[in-house]
Amino acid sequence: ITGATPKEDTTMSNEKHVKVLILGSGPAGLAAALYAARAELEPIVLTGMQLGGQAALTHLIENYPGFPGGVGGAQLGELFQKQAEHFGAKVEFDLANEIDLSQRPYTVKTDSGEYKAETLILSTGATPLHLEVPGEVELTGRGVSYCATCDGWFFKDKKVVVVGGGDSAFEEALFITRYASSVTLIHRREEFRAGAILQNRAKEHPKMNFILNTVVTEAVGTDKLTALKLKNLQTGEESTLETDGLFIFIGHAPNSQMFKGQMEMSDLGYVIVNDKMETSVEGVYAAGEIADPHFRQVITSAGMGAAAAIQATRYLEERESVPS
Ligand code: NAP
């Protein structure tokens, strides 16, 4: 009786054993949760910093099937969550800090405790890239932003610059025209990556202007952004453009730092998966933008999440059927 160790009890109460642990609550994570829950695996989703992932920061999603009039990003995330929870998934507002894949069950340390997971689905998404020019970091939140849905409202009747030439830049620039008096899109080349529909909408919009073959070299301002220094890449000419806002949409980097050295990754840090969403570690799957440098759509991420959960289910079933 005297051998009872209260210390051990405390540790035990903070340690949860789960069959399927899902890191990240974007479309990939929540779709995985739905499938794993319907397989009665009682998955736990750790939300990370952004419930609903990047999709939740998108004002309107017009290309997710089933919503002919479009659907708000946050609203779609809530629907995903509700559906997964309806079948028994648990969504925890918690952040994974450390992961140990050297032995099963795998250990995931979080802000609030520790999980032992038989299988893991990594769906931690991606983070917007920075321009990495002087003034950018200092003026973030003071005129420099990476999220139009979050910050567009602050630029009512103001002049705004958007940097980038892909779908995100065009989509978000069009969104900001609701508030801003003018939106100038600056792109480093002459051709855009964005789809034709978005390009045409932007080119026809009376509030939109374009500056091509040009990069931002500095964000200028003390308390708040007042201007940008620009450089024309063809002529070398440098100029200054007054602006109240700078929105940067130049792509993303995968949130895979935590798993570095524990599984195969590409040079850019994308987790490498096969066609079954399997990573190089047994029982560990990856889905969505952490493993997808090509498509990055809500539907493709959700599809990858579903596939990862189906494969995790099969893996657990096979293990259970093998007598130990
Ligand atoms: P993206 O397609 O990779 O475009 C990034 C843009 O930023 C490119 O035009 C690139 O220029 C430019 N860029 C990159 N680094 C730069 C730098 N340091 N300085 C200046 N410009 C820089 O990224 P995205 O627009 O975020 O889209 C990512 C993926 O999500 C794409 O597959 C896209 O189709 C998808 N997406 C789809 C939708 C939709 O379907 N409605 C909406 C949003 C995103 P270059 O062109 O010269 O490389």
Side-chain angles (χ1 to χ4, degrees), residues 240-269:
T240 301
L241 179 71
E242 282 184 16
T243 187
D244 303 297
L246 169 64
F247 284 79
I248 299 161
F249 302 109
I250 58 166
H252 297 88
N255 297 326
S256 59
Q257 298 84 340
M258 213 189 336
F259 321 122
K260 219 172 183 170
Q262 302 197 66
M263 62 183 56
E264 275 179 31
M265 284 183 196
S266 73
D267 292 345
L268 293 173

mmCIF file of all heavy atoms in Angstrom, residues 240-269:
data_model
loop_
_atom_site.group_PDB
_atom_site.id
_atom_site.type_symbol
_atom_site.label_atom_id
_atom_site.label_comp_id
_atom_site.label_asym_id
_atom_site.label_seq_id
_atom_site.Cartn_x
_atom_site.Cartn_y
_atom_site.Cartn_z
ATOM 1 N N THR A 240 8.482 54.948 -55.224
ATOM 2 C CA THR A 240 7.770 54.849 -53.946
ATOM 3 C C THR A 240 6.281 54.971 -54.223
ATOM 4 O O THR A 240 5.854 55.811 -55.012
ATOM 5 C CB THR A 240 8.218 55.980 -52.992
ATOM 6 O OG1 THR A 240 9.624 55.851 -52.795
ATOM 7 C CG2 THR A 240 7.526 55.876 -51.649
ATOM 8 N N LEU A 241 5.506 54.114 -53.585
ATOM 9 C CA LEU A 241 4.052 54.138 -53.766
ATOM 10 C C LEU A 241 3.402 54.320 -52.406
ATOM 11 O O LEU A 241 3.612 53.500 -51.502
ATOM 12 C CB LEU A 241 3.593 52.814 -54.407
ATOM 13 C CG LEU A 241 2.102 52.650 -54.646
ATOM 14 C CD1 LEU A 241 1.623 53.565 -55.772
ATOM 15 C CD2 LEU A 241 1.779 51.192 -54.995
ATOM 16 N N GLU A 242 2.620 55.372 -52.273
ATOM 17 C CA GLU A 242 1.920 55.572 -50.996
ATOM 18 C C GLU A 242 0.774 54.589 -50.876
ATOM 19 O O GLU A 242 0.036 54.362 -51.841
ATOM 20 C CB GLU A 242 1.379 57.007 -50.927
ATOM 21 C CG GLU A 242 2.461 58.000 -50.600
ATOM 22 C CD GLU A 242 1.924 59.407 -50.443
ATOM 23 O OE1 GLU A 242 0.709 59.587 -50.296
ATOM 24 O OE2 GLU A 242 2.756 60.327 -50.491
ATOM 25 N N THR A 243 0.643 53.989 -49.701
ATOM 26 C CA THR A 243 -0.462 53.046 -49.496
ATOM 27 C C THR A 243 -0.759 52.911 -47.999
ATOM 28 O O THR A 243 0.118 53.151 -47.166
ATOM 29 C CB THR A 243 -0.142 51.654 -50.092
ATOM 30 O OG1 THR A 243 -1.297 50.827 -50.008
ATOM 31 C CG2 THR A 243 0.997 50.961 -49.367
ATOM 32 N N ASP A 244 -1.983 52.534 -47.684
ATOM 33 C CA ASP A 244 -2.357 52.320 -46.278
ATOM 34 C C ASP A 244 -2.231 50.847 -45.898
ATOM 35 O O ASP A 244 -2.094 50.513 -44.716
ATOM 36 C CB ASP A 244 -3.813 52.757 -46.060
ATOM 37 C CG ASP A 244 -4.023 54.205 -46.463
ATOM 38 O OD1 ASP A 244 -3.399 55.072 -45.841
ATOM 39 O OD2 ASP A 244 -4.797 54.456 -47.414
ATOM 40 N N GLY A 245 -2.317 49.989 -46.906
ATOM 41 C CA GLY A 245 -2.319 48.558 -46.598
ATOM 42 C C GLY A 245 -1.486 47.757 -47.570
ATOM 43 O O GLY A 245 -1.354 48.124 -48.748
ATOM 44 N N LEU A 246 -0.875 46.685 -47.071
ATOM 45 C CA LEU A 246 -0.134 45.738 -47.924
ATOM 46 C C LEU A 246 -0.586 44.334 -47.557
ATOM 47 O O LEU A 246 -0.384 43.886 -46.424
ATOM 48 C CB LEU A 246 1.377 45.877 -47.681
ATOM 49 C CG LEU A 246 2.260 44.785 -48.298
ATOM 50 C CD1 LEU A 246 2.168 44.812 -49.825
ATOM 51 C CD2 LEU A 246 3.714 44.945 -47.854
ATOM 52 N N PHE A 247 -1.219 43.665 -48.505
ATOM 53 C CA PHE A 247 -1.648 42.280 -48.289
ATOM 54 C C PHE A 247 -0.759 41.375 -49.138
ATOM 55 O O PHE A 247 -0.611 41.588 -50.344
ATOM 56 C CB PHE A 247 -3.120 42.102 -48.680
ATOM 57 C CG PHE A 247 -4.075 42.662 -47.670
ATOM 58 C CD1 PHE A 247 -4.323 44.021 -47.614
ATOM 59 C CD2 PHE A 247 -4.703 41.826 -46.755
ATOM 60 C CE1 PHE A 247 -5.187 44.547 -46.675
ATOM 61 C CE2 PHE A 247 -5.574 42.338 -45.808
ATOM 62 C CZ PHE A 247 -5.819 43.710 -45.763
ATOM 63 N N ILE A 248 -0.171 40.370 -48.497
ATOM 64 C CA ILE A 248 0.812 39.524 -49.173
ATOM 65 C C ILE A 248 0.243 38.112 -49.375
ATOM 66 O O ILE A 248 -0.109 37.438 -48.401
ATOM 67 C CB ILE A 248 2.115 39.475 -48.339
ATOM 68 C CG1 ILE A 248 2.688 40.894 -48.207
ATOM 69 C CG2 ILE A 248 3.140 38.532 -48.971
ATOM 70 C CD1 ILE A 248 3.683 41.049 -47.074
ATOM 71 N N PHE A 249 0.150 37.701 -50.648
ATOM 72 C CA PHE A 249 -0.363 36.357 -50.968
ATOM 73 C C PHE A 249 0.578 35.715 -51.985
ATOM 74 O O PHE A 249 0.291 35.691 -53.177
ATOM 75 C CB PHE A 249 -1.785 36.432 -51.530
ATOM 76 C CG PHE A 249 -2.753 37.097 -50.600
ATOM 77 C CD1 PHE A 249 -3.260 38.349 -50.886
ATOM 78 C CD2 PHE A 249 -3.137 36.473 -49.425
ATOM 79 C CE1 PHE A 249 -4.137 38.973 -50.014
ATOM 80 C CE2 PHE A 249 -4.012 37.084 -48.545
ATOM 81 C CZ PHE A 249 -4.514 38.342 -48.843
ATOM 82 N N ILE A 250 1.721 35.239 -51.523
ATOM 83 C CA ILE A 250 2.739 34.737 -52.448
ATOM 84 C C ILE A 250 3.016 33.246 -52.238
ATOM 85 O O ILE A 250 4.077 32.765 -52.584
ATOM 86 C CB ILE A 250 4.046 35.555 -52.318
ATOM 87 C CG1 ILE A 250 4.584 35.497 -50.892
ATOM 88 C CG2 ILE A 250 3.827 37.000 -52.761
ATOM 89 C CD1 ILE A 250 6.022 35.988 -50.781
ATOM 90 N N GLY A 251 2.055 32.550 -51.691
ATOM 91 C CA GLY A 251 2.218 31.112 -51.516
ATOM 92 C C GLY A 251 2.400 30.726 -50.048
ATOM 93 O O GLY A 251 2.302 31.578 -49.157
ATOM 94 N N HIS A 252 2.670 29.452 -49.840
ATOM 95 C CA HIS A 252 2.702 28.906 -48.481
ATOM 96 C C HIS A 252 3.864 27.950 -48.266
ATOM 97 O O HIS A 252 4.395 27.415 -49.227
ATOM 98 C CB HIS A 252 1.405 28.127 -48.215
ATOM 99 C CG HIS A 252 0.210 28.996 -48.262
ATOM 100 N ND1 HIS A 252 -0.459 29.249 -49.433
ATOM 101 C CD2 HIS A 252 -0.413 29.684 -47.292
ATOM 102 C CE1 HIS A 252 -1.444 30.078 -49.175
ATOM 103 N NE2 HIS A 252 -1.450 30.352 -47.893
ATOM 104 N N ALA A 253 4.211 27.740 -46.987
ATOM 105 C CA ALA A 253 5.193 26.712 -46.628
ATOM 106 C C ALA A 253 4.499 25.712 -45.694
ATOM 107 O O ALA A 253 3.719 26.122 -44.828
ATOM 108 C CB ALA A 253 6.372 27.357 -45.918
ATOM 109 N N PRO A 254 4.756 24.411 -45.868
ATOM 110 C CA PRO A 254 4.075 23.405 -45.046
ATOM 111 C C PRO A 254 4.490 23.479 -43.578
ATOM 112 O O PRO A 254 5.652 23.757 -43.272
ATOM 113 C CB PRO A 254 4.530 22.082 -45.669
ATOM 114 C CG PRO A 254 5.797 22.412 -46.382
ATOM 115 C CD PRO A 254 5.708 23.836 -46.815
ATOM 116 N N ASN A 255 3.536 23.245 -42.688
ATOM 117 C CA ASN A 255 3.818 23.253 -41.242
ATOM 118 C C ASN A 255 4.310 21.870 -40.801
ATOM 119 O O ASN A 255 3.574 21.105 -40.182
ATOM 120 C CB ASN A 255 2.559 23.632 -40.460
ATOM 121 C CG ASN A 255 2.100 25.028 -40.786
ATOM 122 O OD1 ASN A 255 2.915 25.911 -41.045
ATOM 123 N ND2 ASN A 255 0.798 25.238 -40.802
ATOM 124 N N SER A 256 5.546 21.581 -41.165
ATOM 125 C CA SER A 256 6.051 20.230 -40.926
ATOM 126 C C SER A 256 7.298 20.202 -40.051
ATOM 127 O O SER A 256 7.891 19.133 -39.853
ATOM 128 C CB SER A 256 6.381 19.578 -42.287
ATOM 129 O OG SER A 256 7.357 20.359 -42.957
ATOM 130 N N GLN A 257 7.664 21.364 -39.493
ATOM 131 C CA GLN A 257 8.927 21.453 -38.731
ATOM 132 C C GLN A 257 8.969 20.410 -37.607
ATOM 133 O O GLN A 257 10.005 19.825 -37.332
ATOM 134 C CB GLN A 257 9.110 22.845 -38.121
ATOM 135 C CG GLN A 257 9.215 23.985 -39.111
ATOM 136 C CD GLN A 257 7.845 24.492 -39.556
ATOM 137 O OE1 GLN A 257 6.839 23.788 -39.432
ATOM 138 N NE2 GLN A 257 7.804 25.685 -40.097
ATOM 139 N N MET A 258 7.815 20.199 -36.961
ATOM 140 C CA MET A 258 7.753 19.302 -35.804
ATOM 141 C C MET A 258 8.118 17.849 -36.167
ATOM 142 O O MET A 258 8.527 17.067 -35.324
ATOM 143 C CB MET A 258 6.329 19.328 -35.237
ATOM 144 C CG MET A 258 6.280 19.143 -33.754
ATOM 145 S SD MET A 258 4.624 18.906 -33.098
ATOM 146 C CE MET A 258 3.529 19.617 -34.247
ATOM 147 N N PHE A 259 7.920 17.494 -37.432
ATOM 148 C CA PHE A 259 8.127 16.094 -37.846
ATOM 149 C C PHE A 259 9.474 15.897 -38.546
ATOM 150 O O PHE A 259 9.800 14.801 -38.980
ATOM 151 C CB PHE A 259 6.996 15.649 -38.787
ATOM 152 C CG PHE A 259 5.650 16.181 -38.391
ATOM 153 C CD1 PHE A 259 4.909 16.961 -39.262
ATOM 154 C CD2 PHE A 259 5.142 15.929 -37.128
ATOM 155 C CE1 PHE A 259 3.680 17.472 -38.883
ATOM 156 C CE2 PHE A 259 3.913 16.440 -36.735
ATOM 157 C CZ PHE A 259 3.184 17.208 -37.617
ATOM 158 N N LYS A 260 10.210 16.983 -38.672
ATOM 159 C CA LYS A 260 11.490 16.968 -39.398
ATOM 160 C C LYS A 260 12.434 15.924 -38.798
ATOM 161 O O LYS A 260 12.547 15.815 -37.571
ATOM 162 C CB LYS A 260 12.138 18.345 -39.327
ATOM 163 C CG LYS A 260 12.793 18.736 -40.610
ATOM 164 C CD LYS A 260 13.254 20.166 -40.556
ATOM 165 C CE LYS A 260 13.848 20.527 -41.907
ATOM 166 N NZ LYS A 260 14.097 21.943 -42.017
ATOM 167 N N GLY A 261 13.067 15.153 -39.650
ATOM 168 C CA GLY A 261 14.031 14.153 -39.194
ATOM 169 C C GLY A 261 13.372 12.845 -38.779
ATOM 170 O O GLY A 261 14.046 11.856 -38.518
ATOM 171 N N GLN A 262 12.033 12.834 -38.698
ATOM 172 C CA GLN A 262 11.339 11.609 -38.263
ATOM 173 C C GLN A 262 10.618 10.915 -39.414
ATOM 174 O O GLN A 262 10.087 9.825 -39.247
ATOM 175 C CB GLN A 262 10.344 11.932 -37.148
ATOM 176 C CG GLN A 262 11.015 12.588 -35.948
ATOM 177 C CD GLN A 262 10.148 12.525 -34.710
ATOM 178 O OE1 GLN A 262 9.875 11.455 -34.180
ATOM 179 N NE2 GLN A 262 9.703 13.661 -34.253
ATOM 180 N N MET A 263 10.542 11.579 -40.561
ATOM 181 C CA MET A 263 9.889 10.960 -41.719
ATOM 182 C C MET A 263 10.421 11.592 -42.993
ATOM 183 O O MET A 263 11.055 12.642 -42.941
ATOM 184 C CB MET A 263 8.372 11.131 -41.633
ATOM 185 C CG MET A 263 7.920 12.569 -41.653
ATOM 186 S SD MET A 263 6.146 12.707 -41.460
ATOM 187 C CE MET A 263 5.915 11.843 -39.926
ATOM 188 N N GLU A 264 10.119 10.953 -44.119
ATOM 189 C CA GLU A 264 10.615 11.491 -45.391
ATOM 190 C C GLU A 264 9.862 12.754 -45.769
ATOM 191 O O GLU A 264 8.633 12.808 -45.669
ATOM 192 C CB GLU A 264 10.444 10.452 -46.492
ATOM 193 C CG GLU A 264 11.590 9.481 -46.547
ATOM 194 C CD GLU A 264 11.395 8.436 -47.633
ATOM 195 O OE1 GLU A 264 10.762 8.736 -48.661
ATOM 196 O OE2 GLU A 264 11.867 7.311 -47.403
ATOM 197 N N MET A 265 10.643 13.744 -46.219
ATOM 198 C CA MET A 265 10.056 15.014 -46.661
ATOM 199 C C MET A 265 10.762 15.474 -47.926
ATOM 200 O O MET A 265 11.911 15.102 -48.172
ATOM 201 C CB MET A 265 10.292 16.094 -45.604
ATOM 202 C CG MET A 265 9.406 15.990 -44.416
ATOM 203 S SD MET A 265 9.745 17.363 -43.314
ATOM 204 C CE MET A 265 8.964 16.738 -41.848
ATOM 205 N N SER A 266 10.085 16.348 -48.679
ATOM 206 C CA SER A 266 10.727 16.918 -49.862
ATOM 207 C C SER A 266 11.673 18.035 -49.419
ATOM 208 O O SER A 266 11.659 18.432 -48.247
ATOM 209 C CB SER A 266 9.662 17.500 -50.801
ATOM 210 O OG SER A 266 9.151 18.689 -50.239
ATOM 211 N N ASP A 267 12.433 18.564 -50.368
ATOM 212 C CA ASP A 267 13.363 19.650 -50.044
ATOM 213 C C ASP A 267 12.629 20.863 -49.473
ATOM 214 O O ASP A 267 13.165 21.611 -48.669
ATOM 215 C CB ASP A 267 14.128 20.105 -51.294
ATOM 216 C CG ASP A 267 15.091 19.024 -51.764
ATOM 217 O OD1 ASP A 267 15.349 18.095 -50.971
ATOM 218 O OD2 ASP A 267 15.540 19.099 -52.922
ATOM 219 N N LEU A 268 11.377 21.049 -49.926
ATOM 220 C CA LEU A 268 10.607 22.212 -49.463
ATOM 221 C C LEU A 268 9.866 21.932 -48.151
ATOM 222 O O LEU A 268 9.118 22.781 -47.661
ATOM 223 C CB LEU A 268 9.603 22.640 -50.539
ATOM 224 C CG LEU A 268 10.212 23.207 -51.821
ATOM 225 C CD1 LEU A 268 9.139 23.445 -52.880
ATOM 226 C CD2 LEU A 268 10.966 24.499 -51.529
ATOM 227 N N GLY A 269 10.035 20.717 -47.618
ATOM 228 C CA GLY A 269 9.426 20.408 -46.320
ATOM 229 C C GLY A 269 8.037 19.781 -46.394
ATOM 230 O O GLY A 269 7.358 19.650 -45.377
#
